[in-house]
Amino acid sequence: GRPIEAIDYYERALSIDKDFAMALGNKAYALELLSPISGYFEVYLIYAYQLYQAALSNEDSIKEHGGIPPIAFFREHSKKKRR
């Protein structure tokens, strides 16, 4: 994928609706993917975790825009242990 470009689009969506759960969760995943090459591994993962939690606080929005599978995906990724 192209996580850097994707983050730009997620940020655009979030500038319109700061609580758009799919954008929050997908931005978290993009940051998770970038964390090993960022030079700020732990910082990216902490921020990703916070974004996952924000997304999961609005499961109705996730269901409306992405269905049930993204909820499980965001939960799984928010619980991953790194290092």
Side-chain angles (χ1 to χ4, degrees):
R2 296 167 59 180
I4 294 171
E5 291 87 353
I7 288 172
D8 183 50
Y9 286 100
Y10 302 139
E11 289 177 350
R12 290 181 195 188
L14 291 166
S15 73
I16 296 166
D17 179 358
K18 66 179 177 60
D19 297 319
F20 184 30
M22 285 298 294
L24 289 166
N26 286 325
K27 181 178 176 182
Y29 182 61
L31 289 169
E32 184 182 337
L33 291 174
L34 289 172
S35 65
I37 60 170
S38 69
Y40 301 98
F41 181 80
E42 292 174 356
V43 173
Y44 273 46
L45 291 182
I46 290 168
Y47 187 35
Y49 174 81
Q50 293 169 341
L51 290 171
Y52 281 131
Q53 295 306 304
L56 289 167
S57 73
N58 193 352
E59 288 187 13
D60 289 339
S61 175
I62 297 172
K63 287 177 192 173
E64 179 182 346
H65 298 285
I68 302 285
I71 294 172
F73 182 87
F74 296 158
R75 280 188 186 142
E76 176 186 333
H77 282 261
S78 74
K79 293 178 184 177
K80 282 188 175 182
K81 303 273 190 243
R82 303 290 190 298
R83 278 198 193 195

